[in-house]
Amino acid sequence: MIFLPSSHNKQAERVEEAGYLASASDLMIGLLFVFIIMVVMLSQRVDSIQRGESVNDPLASAVLIIGQKFKEAGLNVVIDPQSGVIGLPADALFGFNSAVLNDNSTQTLKKARESLIKILPCYVHSERAARPLDCPPNDEQAEIETIFIEGHTDSKPLQQGNYTNWHLGLDRARAVYEVLTEGKPQSYQNERKLDVFGISSYADKRVVKSFGLEDAEKSRRVELRFILAFKPDSKKGKAARDALDAASSSSAPLIQTAPIMPAATVTPGSNTKPIALPK
């Protein structure tokens, strides 16, 4: 007896394959839809800040505004408002394995500096007396404590003797620092009268990964990391004080303390032994 393959099984396989492809297609369309929504929401958030509307996160608000100023100056920056970081692709600023700014990037950074001079006084303590009247909303009265200019490289070792990725990252950060802070920004200080701007190098210790593998191009970057300080008379500070006052005004004490017993003393050189007092 000869058994012929059933056409029903082949038809079932084709249906299953078609269903799998349809599911994968639906998944990709869904991911694309989510990405589009995120881009639109970020754009609307920037627009709302520029129109004078307040946002809940003062760090995100400041970084979005400053990052937008960089973009208007012609810098191709990557803005991460949640972590307070604005990234500058190193390949657009420097030659390969070089810490010397090219002519185009120098001019662009100078335009960015002019934008910083207009917006940073809204957040810098030393500029409070000369704060512009058109500053964005700042309900928390947050001020910039520090701006770290950080140099990052890819993980490929340099073949330049004792000159390593640590030196390259630091020199690139310093090159950006010298242009962005030339003139007035060098005098910006926080409430502790310390300079706002500083530089550092992370070399290849914080590379950017895509699907678990290093993305060398994105790893080569210079980042501006913003650290904010909050004023004690901000809304959050007032809310905390009100809660503390309400707790302290309670009529019944929450904790009763036992009377403190005097401690036993011993004169040096005497034969008297300390007596354990009852608890």
Side-chain angles (χ1 to χ4, degrees):
M1 182 180 293
I2 300 176
F3 294 93
L4 297 177
S6 174
S7 60
H8 176 73
N9 293 336
K10 292 184 178 180
Q11 183 178 1
E13 291 177 359
R14 286 196 295 269
V15 171
E16 290 178 359
E17 183 178 358
Y20 171 77
L21 293 176
S23 300
S25 176
D26 292 342
L27 178 61
M28 295 302 297
I29 294 174
L31 291 175
L32 178 61
F33 183 69
V34 171
F35 175 76
I36 293 174
I37 292 177
M38 292 177 62
V39 172
V40 172
M41 290 178 62
L42 180 60
S43 176
Q44 290 177 345
R45 193 174 190 186
V46 174
D47 292 341
S48 66
I49 293 172
Q50 292 178 333
R51 289 195 303 268
E53 299 176 10
S54 180
V55 292
N56 294 329
D57 187 350
L59 176 62
S61 173
V63 170
L64 281 170
I65 293 173
I66 296 171
Q68 187 64 27
K69 296 296 182 182
F70 279 151
K71 286 188 175 182
E72 293 172 359
L75 280 173
N76 182 24
V77 299
V78 178
I79 306 173
D80 186 352
Q82 300 302 322
S83 61
V85 171
I86 299 175
L88 312 175
D91 291 354
L93 302 175
F94 307 94
F96 185 69
N97 284 351
S98 171
V100 179
L101 289 166
N102 57 54
D103 293 337
N104 291 334
S105 60
T106 300
Q107 296 303 318
T108 303
L109 285 173
K110 287 182 178 180
K111 292 180 181 179
R113 180 185 65 221
E114 296 305 316
S115 299
L116 286 179
I117 292 175
K118 295 178 180 179
I119 189 62
L120 282 186
C122 295
Y123 299 98
V124 175
H125 182 80
S126 60
E127 301 300 303
R128 295 187 69 180
R131 191 157 290 174
L133 298 177
D134 58 346
C135 285
N138 189 4
D139 295 338
E140 299 296 337
Q141 300 184 33
E143 293 180 347
I144 294 177
E145 167 73 16
T146 307
I147 302 175
F148 290 113
I149 301 179
E150 305 170 344
H152 299 262
T153 70
D154 58 32
S155 61
K156 184 178 181 180
L158 286 176
Q159 303 297 327
Q160 299 182 14
N162 293 329
Y163 192 82
T164 67
N165 281 331
W166 289 102
H167 301 90
L168 179 61
L170 188 63
D171 287 346
R172 285 181 168 178
R174 181 166 54 190
V176 173
Y177 166 87
E178 289 176 351
V179 178
L180 284 183
T181 64
E182 182 181 0
K184 181 63 175 177
Q186 282 194 0
S187 65
Y188 291 162
Q189 293 186 328
N190 57 30
E191 191 172 10
R192 296 182 294 152
K193 300 187 182 304
L194 301 176
D195 289 352
V196 167
F197 284 95
I199 63 173
S200 61
S201 173
Y202 282 99
D204 56 352
K205 300 304 180 182
R206 295 189 177 185
V207 298
V208 177
K209 293 184 177 181
S210 298
F211 301 103
L213 299 176
E214 177 188 355
D215 189 325
E217 181 178 356
K218 291 182 179 179
S219 295
R220 298 189 294 269
R221 66 200 188 277
V222 175
E223 292 183 338
L224 276 69
R225 185 177 302 276
F226 293 80
I227 309 297
L228 294 192
F230 296 90
K231 304 299 294 179
D233 53 347
S234 65
K235 285 185 176 181
K236 289 184 178 179
K238 290 180 179 178
R241 288 198 304 274
D242 291 343
L244 183 61
D245 293 340
S248 60
S249 62
S250 176
S251 58
L254 298 179
I255 300 176
Q256 293 183 349
T257 57
I260 300 176
M261 301 295 294
T265 58
V266 178
T267 304
S270 68
N271 294 325
T272 306
K273 295 183 179 180
I275 301 173
L277 296 175
K279 296 184 179 179

